[in-house]
Amino acid sequence: MAVYTEVSDDELEDFAAEYDIGQVVSCKGIAEGVENTNYLLQTDQGNYILTLYEKRVNPEELPFFLGLMEHLAAHGLACPTPIHGRDGKALRTLCGRPAAIVSFLKGMWSRRITLGHCAELGPAMATMHLAGADFPLTRANNLSVAGWRPLFESIRPRAAEIKSDLAQSIEDELDYLEAHWPRTLPVGLIHADLFPDNVFFLADKAAGVDRMSGFIDFYFACTDVLAYDIAICLNAWCFEEDGAFNATKARLMLNGYRRVRPLSADELDALPLLARGAAMRFLLTRSYDWLHTPPGAMVKRKDPMEYYRKLRFHQGVTGPGQYGIE
Amino acid sequence: MAVYTEVSDDELEDFAAEYDIGQVVSCKGIAEGVENTNYLLQTDQGNYILTLYEKRVNPEELPFFLGLMEHLAAHGLACPTPIHGRDGKALRTLCGRPAAIVSFLKGMWSRRITLGHCAELGPAMATMHLAGADFPLTRANNLSVAGWRPLFESIRPRAAEIKSDLAQSIEDELDYLEAHWPRTLPVGLIHADLFPDNVFFLADKAAGVDRMSGFIDFYFACTDVLAYDIAICLNAWCFEEDGAFNATKARLMLNGYRRVRPLSADELDALPLLARGAAMRFLLTRSYDWLHTPPGAMVKRKDPMEYYRKLRFHQGVTGPGQYGIE
């Protein structure tokens, strides 16, 4: 639930006049996303998304994010594309905030993940990884292994509010992850937040299936181990509501990925460890948000324990075969 | 800021299949309105608004509201029109709530009211009043004079939190309003909440002006004194941010109205009293909301004192001439 910054009609008119997008006929704040302010902007030429970047986004990193979306779209990945103004600039200022207009991506994210969704996700993720190979900018992943212990230290004093022995469990796991984290796997551009709400699908009525229509929200994208993106998706897409791991979903996702970008033996072998790391990352950030969200706030808190249980599952995985890999 | 009920893609597909509106390509929650859940629904045929009615709307009154929008649209007022399903029904159930799809109204509400906006508002309001004349359903205004004292009693114990002598001021004014409230003025269908955020405009670039594109949000509409709708607009449209009353705005609005629907001498003479009543209504509801909104809630509280000051202004008005009427 968002819309932090209200844009007046006058300010919007002036802003839109910098672009060749036609005349504004509607502009409605979208109640999605918690990082930025998003408007669905309609002109007599089409639909766009207007984003005002709020304080959780570092303005210095915006050229990376916008450049990446443009690069990926130009290389065949369906995703929002920044619109350039008449002066050539895609990033300008609105209501005192950095702001950009991007193309509108059709589709909806799926609340109920099917095998078919996972089969579509895999090749699209691989396509993104290949498309990102020659993107010239880089951005460190500040939520990877080096960032986890400082985050843990910030929540440690209150971790018992979530689970009595949570701090000890996290500390033991961090010791293990830091000692074993892979340093030689292929690195490249990853999305790093490829949860179901960032992947759109459109129903193909004739075929009776959903087709992936694109990825959104690249504001965690960074340069990191490519297989770590897969590990995030193993966590985000392949568990059922009751906590059970669905190896069929994992197999369909992984096999779809490998058809587009083959995975080396090292990458496959590292998947259980990377999946533990991904579970740790979301356990930590969710714990932080859980402890810092006032109970009365109108924001739905995401249960950190979901990722504690996923971490426990991956700790018991002895090889990639348990993810459905033949 | 809204979206109380999240609709899954599966539920939406099934719901939309009841209508001849084409295939859904996007559905985004709108961060506007605080009463209901609103989605901007896009299909391959066009744009629509999907509304789920939350608990503040009485389901038994929905046929009145939906029927009214349909009636007004058929009689020349630009406003959202309910879409009927293949079974002929405009009102059905989604996620356990009453729900309807209405046509999409282009335009934006103006954050900065100009003389031109007021000149457009007047005739449109009069058109609505004329169009409503033969609408067969009626609905009592539960926020008119009979409803104010019970509302006052509910806030009286804490009124001093807003202003030390607020309770006494309100009580004196209620005594006066109840004794003098007009009983013989023309009655009909009124919008009853015609604030700037419920009136859309579109820029006419060629003419360099904004044109009214329609009214929205008829969920306070009711059967009441027609001139009371005007009195609400005198409050909502004709004061500047610094509290000054802008008689030019009032004159343009009133004269525009009278060109379409002439006002009788009785109606004109009653305007100061009706304007006091309208100020009282919003002073009371804003006071109630102010006292019942937790300080930490992510809802912007509207200052009740704005309407205390507007009430004070109208108390000093001795005749309609002060509203710019010649």
Side-chain angles (χ1 to χ4, degrees):
Chain A
M1 199 175 296
V3 178
Y4 295 102
T5 304
E6 188 166 293
V7 180
S8 78
D9 47 331
D10 293 339
E11 289 166 306
L12 180 63
E13 289 278 338
D14 292 346
F15 187 81
E18 301 288 329
Y19 298 83
D20 278 322
I21 57 172
Q23 189 178 332
V24 175
V25 297
S26 171
C27 188
K28 296 195 186 296
I30 302 175
E32 286 179 17
V34 292
E35 306 288 328
N36 301 314
T37 298
N38 289 302
Y39 286 92
L40 203 171
L41 176 67
Q42 302 185 314
T43 77
D44 52 11
Q45 290 182 16
N47 295 326
Y48 305 89
I49 298 290
L50 164 65
T51 300
L52 284 76
Y53 298 97
E54 304 292 345
K55 59 174 185 269
R56 283 184 70 161
V57 172
N58 178 352
E60 292 178 8
E61 296 188 324
L62 286 171
F64 173 86
F65 298 131
L66 293 174
L68 175 61
M69 286 190 273
E70 187 153 357
H71 177 91
L72 293 177
H75 288 71
L77 184 82
C79 69
T81 315
I83 308 295
H84 292 261
R86 286 199 200 83
D87 58 2
K89 290 197 289 187
L91 183 63
R92 61 189 77 231
T93 301
L94 179 58
C95 299
R97 284 159 180 75
I101 293 176
V102 300
S103 61
F104 182 83
L105 186 73
K106 288 182 183 175
M108 286 163 289
W109 66 274
S110 183
R111 274 72 173 175
R112 192 175 58 82
I113 307 302
T114 63
L115 298 179
H117 293 141
C118 295
E120 290 270 307
L121 172 65
M125 178 168 35
T127 299
M128 177 181 67
H129 289 166
L130 293 178
D134 58 348
F135 182 58
L137 305 180
T138 61
R139 175 178 179 263
N141 185 0
N142 53 18
L143 286 172
S144 187
V145 62
W148 297 337
R149 196 169 289 269
L151 193 51
F152 167 56
E153 294 302 337
S154 77
I155 64 161
R156 184 209 284 263
R158 293 180 56 201
E161 294 176 33
I162 296 170
K163 187 172 187 296
S164 60
D165 62 349
L166 183 63
Q168 190 60 53
S169 300
I170 291 177
E171 184 151 38
D172 293 346
E173 178 70 9
L174 282 181
D175 290 344
Y176 182 85
L177 290 172
E178 288 168 356
H180 296 87
W181 198 249
R183 306 286 168 188
T184 57
L185 295 178
V187 163
L189 188 288
I190 70 169
H191 184 286
D193 194 35
L194 211 46
F195 275 60
D197 57 341
N198 287 331
V199 179
F200 282 5
F201 292 92
L202 276 173
D204 180 341
K205 294 278 188 193
V209 296
D210 287 348
R211 303 288 186 200
M212 203 213 62
S213 62
F215 293 168
I216 64 164
D217 200 347
F218 288 81
Y219 301 105
F220 286 97
C222 54
T223 315
D224 203 347
V225 172
L226 293 174
Y228 182 62
D229 235 4
I230 303 173
I232 290 171
C233 291
L234 284 171
N235 279 282
W237 291 75
C238 302
F239 286 87
E240 301 300 323
E241 295 241 340
D242 64 2
F245 184 77
N246 186 327
T248 307
K249 288 183 174 174
R251 178 171 54 79
L252 287 166
M253 181 182 81
L254 287 164
N255 285 349
Y257 184 99
R258 294 161 78 196
R259 276 199 305 277
V260 176
R261 178 179 172 270
L263 291 168
S264 69
D266 283 350
E267 286 179 299
L268 288 173
D269 289 342
L271 278 181
L273 183 72
L274 294 170
R276 286 168 69 163
M280 173 60 73
R281 175 257 192 259
F282 291 101
L283 170 59
L284 288 169
T285 51
R286 285 195 176 188
S287 294
Y288 182 92
D289 291 342
W290 185 270
L291 295 171
H292 290 81
T293 304
M298 285 174 64
V299 173
K300 193 178 172 190
R301 299 195 296 178
K302 292 176 180 169
D303 183 9
M305 286 304 291
E306 176 188 339
Y307 275 83
Y308 177 84
R309 292 185 288 269
K310 289 178 176 177
L311 174 59
R312 279 272 172 271
F313 171 81
H314 297 302
Q315 286 171 337
V317 170
T318 52
Q322 281 167 269
Y323 296 137
I325 296 280
E326 295 86 9
Chain B
M1 200 175 296
V3 178
Y4 295 102
T5 304
E6 188 167 293
V7 180
S8 78
D9 47 332
D10 293 339
E11 289 165 307
L12 179 63
E13 289 278 338
D14 293 345
F15 188 81
E18 302 287 329
Y19 298 83
D20 278 323
I21 57 173
Q23 189 179 332
V24 175
V25 296
S26 170
C27 188
K28 296 196 186 295
I30 302 175
E32 286 179 17
V34 291
E35 306 289 328
N36 301 315
T37 299
N38 289 302
Y39 286 91
L40 203 171
L41 176 67
Q42 302 185 313
T43 77
D44 52 12
Q45 290 183 15
N47 295 326
Y48 304 88
I49 298 289
L50 164 65
T51 300
L52 284 76
Y53 298 97
E54 304 292 345
K55 58 174 187 268
R56 284 183 69 161
V57 173
N58 179 352
E60 292 177 8
E61 296 188 324
L62 286 171
F64 173 86
F65 298 130
L66 292 174
L68 175 61
M69 286 190 272
E70 187 153 357
H71 177 91
L72 293 176
H75 288 71
L77 184 82
C79 69
T81 316
I83 308 295
H84 292 261
R86 287 200 200 82
D87 58 2
K89 290 197 290 187
L91 183 63
R92 61 190 78 232
T93 301
L94 179 58
C95 299
R97 284 159 179 76
I101 293 175
V102 300
S103 62
F104 182 83
L105 186 73
K106 288 181 183 175
M108 285 163 290
W109 66 274
S110 183
R111 273 72 173 175
R112 192 175 57 83
I113 307 301
T114 63
L115 298 179
H117 293 141
C118 295
E120 291 270 308
L121 171 65
M125 179 169 33
T127 299
M128 177 181 66
H129 289 166
L130 294 178
D134 58 348
F135 181 58
L137 304 180
T138 61
R139 176 178 178 264
N141 185 0
N142 53 18
L143 287 171
S144 187
V145 62
W148 296 337
R149 195 168 290 269
L151 193 51
F152 167 56
E153 294 302 337
S154 77
I155 63 162
R156 184 209 283 262
R158 293 180 55 201
E161 294 176 32
I162 296 170
K163 187 172 187 296
S164 60
D165 62 350
L166 182 62
Q168 190 60 53
S169 300
I170 291 177
E171 183 151 38
D172 292 347
E173 178 70 8
L174 282 181
D175 290 344
Y176 181 85
L177 291 172
E178 287 167 355
H180 297 86
W181 197 249
R183 306 285 168 188
T184 57
L185 295 178
V187 163
L189 188 288
I190 70 169
H191 184 286
D193 194 34
L194 211 46
F195 275 61
D197 57 341
N198 288 331
V199 179
F200 282 5
F201 292 92
L202 276 173
D204 180 341
K205 295 277 188 193
V209 296
D210 287 348
R211 303 288 185 200
M212 203 213 61
S213 62
F215 293 167
I216 64 163
D217 201 346
F218 287 81
Y219 301 104
F220 287 97
C222 54
T223 315
D224 203 347
V225 172
L226 293 174
Y228 181 61
D229 235 4
I230 303 173
I232 290 171
C233 291
L234 284 171
N235 280 283
W237 291 75
C238 302
F239 286 87
E240 301 300 323
E241 294 241 342
D242 64 2
F245 184 77
N246 186 325
T248 307
K249 288 183 175 175
R251 179 171 54 78
L252 288 165
M253 181 182 81
L254 287 164
N255 285 349
Y257 184 99
R258 294 161 78 196
R259 276 199 305 277
V260 175
R261 178 180 172 269
L263 291 168
S264 70
D266 283 350
E267 285 180 299
L268 288 172
D269 289 343
L271 278 181
L273 183 71
L274 294 170
R276 286 167 68 162
M280 173 60 74
R281 175 258 192 260
F282 291 101
L283 170 59
L284 288 169
T285 51
R286 284 194 177 189
S287 294
Y288 182 92
D289 291 341
W290 185 270
L291 295 171
H292 290 81
T293 304
M298 284 174 66
V299 173
K300 194 177 172 191
R301 299 194 297 179
K302 292 176 180 169
D303 183 9
M305 287 303 291
E306 177 188 339
Y307 275 83
Y308 178 85
R309 291 185 289 269
K310 289 178 177 178
L311 174 59
R312 280 271 172 270
F313 171 81
H314 297 302
Q315 285 171 338
V317 170
T318 52
Q322 282 167 268
Y323 296 137
I325 297 280
E326 295 86 10

